[in-house]
Amino acid sequence: IRIAPDADAHIEEVSVIDTDENAIETIGLGALNIKDSKVHKSKKKGIYVHWGGALEVMGSEISNNFEEGIDLRGGVRGFFQGNIFDSNKESGIEAVIGDSMLVISENIFSNSEANGMDLQYYAISPGKGDVYISNNTFDGNHEYGLKCDAPSGGSADEKYWEQSIYFFSDNEFVNN
């Protein structure tokens, strides 16, 4: 499913299964709302949101995708609640957090071959993020439950992570 540039879309009670490309992809500043849906077995990313978009995912299952369950490219507004991210080949959520505002709560991140969640710094998107992470379960991910890194090199200001991420003690980490 490709969302037209700058368009808004609502997907509810839909299953997107066995796609050859990214299962769902948005470009531009539009908003995408996904509720009570399933995104399974994409041969690429489950959901891909380019720079500046908005994504809300609630009560959905994002699983068994060949790359990330959800990939957010920076400057994104996102709300993720009550979802299951299971058995994705890369991370459940991968997000460039520069200039992004994300609320991630009451989700289960399990059995990813990389990380439950991978929050990233890129020099091309150096602004601070505004990321709230609470009441999630990270279980059985092969590398880390939650990883913060700069995969393309570059280095963030020494206070970048603590000024960008608000991590609450009600998150649970098991067997990562």
Side-chain angles (χ1 to χ4, degrees), residues 2-68:
R2 301 287 174 267
I3 310 301
D6 302 325
D8 294 341
H10 180 81
I11 297 172
E12 187 167 353
E13 296 182 7
V14 172
S15 292
V16 183
I17 300 172
D18 290 321
T19 62
D20 288 331
E21 296 294 324
N22 299 323
I24 301 170
E25 184 170 351
T26 70
I27 298 172
L29 302 176
L32 172 60
N33 175 284
I34 300 173
K35 185 175 181 185
D36 301 326
S37 295
K38 295 180 180 182
V39 179
H40 295 283
K41 298 180 182 175
S42 164
K43 289 187 175 85
K44 291 195 174 186
K45 303 168 191 307
I47 301 168
Y48 186 31
V49 179
H50 293 263
W51 172 267
L55 176 63
E56 178 179 286
V57 182
M58 296 178 61
S60 295
E61 184 176 334
I62 315 296
S63 64
N64 293 293
N65 296 291
F66 192 74
E67 295 180 19
E68 298 85 0

Side-chain angles (χ1 to χ4, degrees), residues 82-157:
N83 302 296
I84 297 171
F85 297 88
D86 185 57
S87 300
N88 293 292
K89 297 284 186 198
E90 294 189 24
S91 298
I93 293 178
E94 179 179 290
V96 176
I97 65 171
D99 301 311
S100 291
M101 185 184 143
L102 307 173
V103 175
I104 304 164
S105 67
E106 301 174 20
N107 300 287
I108 297 171
F109 296 88
S110 58
N111 304 309
S112 289
E113 290 190 24
N115 311 293
M117 191 182 328
D118 189 353
L119 303 179
Q120 301 178 340
Y121 169 84
Y122 277 80
I124 196 167
S125 182
K128 301 268 190 301
D130 196 11
V131 181
Y132 296 84
I133 303 170
S134 68
N135 201 23
N136 297 287
T137 299
F138 299 86
D139 185 9
N141 298 291
H142 293 208
E143 292 182 23
Y144 298 95
L146 173 64
K147 182 178 181 182
C148 298
D149 66 346
S152 69
S155 61
D157 174 282

Side-chain angles (χ1 to χ4, degrees), residues 157-170:
D157 174 282
E158 69 180 51
K159 294 196 180 271
Y160 179 82
W161 299 107
E162 70 182 64
Q163 292 175 347
S164 293
I165 301 172
Y166 305 92
F167 187 81
F168 297 90
S169 63
D170 59 359

